[in-house]
Amino acid sequence: MNEHDERGTTMTGVDASRLDDQQLMKELETIHRTRHDTLLYGSNDALRAHNERMAQLEGEYLRRNPRRLVSAGRTREGARERGCGETASPGVPGT
């Protein structure tokens, strides 16, 4: 059985662990860009597949980057300290 012929499961692309770092980032960018439309207009099956693929890709990213940079403004404490109109990420308005 190959990766595109799994009975009883939905295969939505190449296994995340088999992507190189550049491919993984491109897949993550694409899935995040399509998230809103899938949520608003996708069928239940499409939303389920999207959720599963997003979890696979994000899980793989976190596995590869356990010590990724975390902005203080994106933590609970940082959010409490942040006043109205302040950004959580430097240089990115409204995040």
Side-chain angles (χ1 to χ4, degrees):
M1 184 182 321
N2 67 39
E3 67 185 61
H4 298 291
D5 185 30
E6 296 185 18
R7 310 242 189 268
T9 63
T10 301
M11 191 63 201
T12 55
V14 175
D15 186 283
S17 65
R18 295 179 59 194
L19 299 170
D20 66 31
D21 289 345
Q22 186 177 3
Q23 291 169 323
L24 179 61
M25 289 306 296
K26 184 157 181 67
E27 289 283 321
L28 282 165
E29 290 168 0
T30 299
I31 202 158
H32 285 119
R33 188 174 53 251
T34 60
R35 180 64 183 170
H36 191 73
D37 282 345
T38 304
L39 176 63
L40 293 179
Y41 308 114
S43 68
N44 288 339
D45 286 341
L47 186 58
R48 181 185 44 75
H50 205 272
N51 287 343
E52 290 173 8
R53 182 63 172 169
M54 185 178 286
Q56 292 167 2
L57 295 169
E58 289 178 346
E60 182 62 21
Y61 177 83
L62 293 173
R63 186 189 69 75
R64 293 183 193 186
N65 299 282
R67 298 174 194 257
R68 73 192 193 291
L69 180 63
V70 176
S71 172
R74 301 298 290 187
T75 64
R76 285 184 182 182
E77 184 176 333
R80 286 187 197 111
E81 292 175 4
R82 189 173 60 237
C84 290
E86 291 183 41
T87 63
S89 300
V92 182
T95 59

